[in-house]
Each structure stands twice: as C-alpha cells, then as structure tokens.
Amino acid sequence: MIDLHVHTNVSDNSMSIREVLNLAKEEGITDLAITDHDTTLGLNEALHLGKEIGVGIIPGIEISAFDYRRNSRAHILGLFVKPEHPSLKQLCDHLVQSRNEASYEMVSRINEAGYTIPWEDVQKYRGRTGVYKQHIMHALMDKGYCDRIYGDLYKKLFRRGDNAKNSGIAYVPLIYVSVAEAIKAVIEAGGIPVLAHPGQFNNFAAIDEWVELGLKGIEVFHPKNDEEDRRQAMAYAQKYQLLITGGSDFHGLYGESPIELGCKELDHVEWISALEKKRTELVMNV
C-alpha cells in the first residue's frame, strides 16, 4: 500500500517524521510521500529515516495557493521535488513567515477576547516551520477552553466567513501565492505538479486552464473527495492523461477527523508505471 499525501510536525502534524514512518511501517505501507505545507525542510531527514526504517520516501510538498480568477483556494502537491530547491524556497519562505506573523496576531486577538493563552504556551506545540491554528487550539485545550481541535471554539475563532464578513474573532487572512506560481515552482524543482483534493475547494472549473500551465496530476482519492468529486476528478484525469494520485492527508491528532495512513484505492503497480511515464514526459518538456 502507498500514500501520496502525508504531513509531519515540520508543518502541522502532531507526529514527528520518525513517528509517521514507524506508523507507516506498522501499517504495511511501502511508499510514502512527505508533503508538508509550504516547505521541504524535513525531506532529507525523511529520506534518511526511510532507508533506516524500510519505507520508500517520495519527496514532496503541498503549496498553499490561490485561484485569483475565481477567488478560491487551491492546494498544489509537488511529487519528487528536489529538497530545498531555490524555486520552492523562494516561493514559500515568505508564506511561512506570513503565517507565523498571522498566528501571533491570532493569539493576541484571542487574549483580547478574554481567553488566557500566552504565546509561550502555543510555542510548545509549534511545528518546525512555525505555528498553525492547530497548535493554538492545542494550547487552548490545555487551558480547558475546549476538548478537541475542531469544534465550536475553532469555528468561533477561525471561521473564514463570506467574503471576509462574519469571520471568526481571531481570523487573520493570508496572502497566498498563485496557482500558476505554484505549478511553475514545482516543475522547476524537478517535481510533478498535482492538484490536491479538488473537491474541497471546488477547483474543477479551473483544471482546463491549469493543465495549460503544466498541471500533470490530480488527487482522485482523498478523504474530502466525495463520490461525485472522484467521478469528476477521474474524468479530468482521463481527458488530459493526468497522473491519478491519492492519499490520506494524514495530520495525526491535528486532523479534522480520524484518518488512517494509506490509500487503499491506488494500485501500486499501475501507479508506479504511470508515474514513470509522467516523469519522462516532464523531463522531455522542460
């Protein structure tokens, strides 16, 4: 079994790289794509540990992007990227810094709203690239303000609202990179750009355009893709001969719902064959 979409505590998983790989080994997973948000910081460590533990590592990234034509978010996975490639680092470093600044502002607003949550308490849980909302919620759980990460308090604090209206009391918007920039950076880093969970952000209307920009794959199998999402994703995969991928989007304790590692729907042999074909096409077109 394989899994092409997994996070670690380098970004917003509660588990370390070693813990994730040990769990993968226990679950019988042979190949795992580490796709932390907006960073490749942990990839070299993951590649080293993968050899030690006996799990094949696919170096990846998940870039938090935005479709500015349609005013919606989009996540672009990069599979087989080169760790710390300048194109990815240049694109993502500013976003990582902005997220940390936004998180600090969120904590300030939460305290102003009457909660007691020192920044130092949040820092105990921060990922290796900074603080995410999950880390803030973990600190609030410690204080007894809630009993889970995603619940009524999360919505009260971080609800996005409609067009910045009716947003949560601690919601701070981020300025994301464009989808075009994300796809370009992945290709420059030697990777395969894949549209992640298209059903979550309803990205289907943009796929024709993004294929022209170099999109080479689509995540058909994902916990947030329902049956109709999968059908549409598969139709686009067949229309453009896109690489079909799938993954758990595993976040450990910080996931929105309990998720097991692994993507049972993907055929390992077929995927490897398709991957080699896409990689050859990518190299020829660069």
Side-chain angles (χ1 to χ4, degrees), residues 117-171:
I117 173 176
W119 179 245
E120 292 74 19
D121 289 357
V122 177
Q123 289 285 87
K124 292 189 301 185
Y125 298 112
R126 62 168 285 157
R128 283 162 56 182
T129 54
V131 171
Y132 285 72
K133 292 189 288 290
Q134 295 94 321
H135 304 128
I136 298 173
M137 291 303 302
H138 200 162
L140 286 165
M141 287 174 61
D142 287 347
K143 294 288 186 179
Y145 291 116
C146 57
D147 59 4
R148 57 192 173 121
I149 300 291
Y150 295 96
D152 292 339
L153 183 58
Y154 184 93
K155 296 174 183 178
K156 179 180 179 180
L157 297 177
F158 303 124
R159 183 178 61 251
R160 290 178 176 272
D162 300 319
N163 298 319
K165 296 181 180 179
N166 303 316
S167 57
I169 60 176
Y171 172 67

Side-chain angles (χ1 to χ4, degrees), residues 30-285:
T30 59
D31 294 275
L32 198 69
I34 300 297
T35 55
D36 281 311
H37 287 285
D38 310 310
T39 184
T40 63
L41 181 62
L43 292 184
N44 285 323
E45 179 184 345
L47 288 164
H48 174 76
L49 288 174
K51 291 180 180 179
E52 174 190 323
I53 296 169
V55 176
I57 298 299
I58 298 164
I61 190 172
E62 183 173 17
I63 301 177
S64 307
F66 201 83
D67 180 0
Y68 286 95
R69 281 191 60 187
R70 299 165 187 82
N71 195 36
S72 63
R73 289 185 293 160
H75 286 183
I76 300 297
L77 293 170
L79 299 180
F80 287 94
V81 297
K82 297 176 182 176
E84 293 299 289
H85 189 279
S87 293
L88 293 176
K89 188 172 176 58
Q90 181 179 357
L91 184 73
C92 294
D93 277 0
H94 178 70
L95 179 56
V96 170
Q97 179 182 347
S98 296
R99 180 179 284 114
N100 280 308
E101 293 171 354
S103 294
Y104 187 84
E105 174 63 21
M106 290 176 191
V107 172
S108 296
R109 294 186 184 185
I110 290 170
N111 281 294
E112 290 171 1
Y115 300 87
T116 302
I117 173 176
W119 179 245
E120 292 74 19
D121 289 357
V122 177
Q123 289 285 87
K124 292 189 301 185
Y125 298 112
R126 62 168 285 157
R128 283 162 56 182
T129 54
V131 171
Y132 285 72
K133 292 189 288 290
Q134 295 94 321
H135 304 128
I136 298 173
M137 291 303 302
H138 200 162
L140 286 165
M141 287 174 61
D142 287 347
K143 294 288 186 179
Y145 291 116
C146 57
D147 59 4
R148 57 192 173 121
I149 300 291
Y150 295 96
D152 292 339
L153 183 58
Y154 184 93
K155 296 174 183 178
K156 179 180 179 180
L157 297 177
F158 303 124
R159 183 178 61 251
R160 290 178 176 272
D162 300 319
N163 298 319
K165 296 181 180 179
N166 303 316
S167 57
I169 60 176
Y171 172 67
V172 178
L174 294 177
I175 299 177
Y176 297 105
V177 302
S178 71
V179 173
E181 291 174 306
I183 292 174
K184 182 173 183 287
V186 168
I187 293 173
E188 289 178 350
I192 299 173
V194 174
L195 176 59
H197 42 67
Q200 182 176 357
F201 301 134
N202 194 23
N203 298 131
F204 294 108
I207 292 176
D208 295 322
E209 173 188 325
W210 294 345
V211 167
E212 291 294 319
L213 295 175
L215 187 72
K216 295 295 181 181
I218 187 167
E219 192 172 44
V220 175
F221 305 110
H222 183 277
K224 289 189 176 179
N225 282 350
D226 61 22
E227 185 175 346
E228 175 59 19
D229 295 331
R230 292 185 180 191
R231 186 197 66 77
Q232 289 192 66
M234 189 66 78
Y236 276 104
Q238 294 170 345
K239 178 179 180 180
Y240 292 113
Q241 291 77 54
L242 298 176
L243 177 67
I244 295 170
T245 78
S248 62
D249 204 351
F250 183 70
H251 286 80
L253 173 66
Y254 295 155
E256 292 188 39
S257 58
I259 294 291
E260 294 183 357
L261 277 174
C263 183
K264 297 180 176 64
E265 296 90 345
L266 277 185
D267 183 287
H268 195 174
V269 175
E270 288 186 8
W271 185 82
I272 292 297
S273 175
L275 172 67
E276 290 305 320
K277 179 181 177 181
K278 282 297 171 189
R279 291 186 74 184
T280 300
E281 292 175 359
L282 193 62
V283 171
M284 291 176 63
N285 292 329

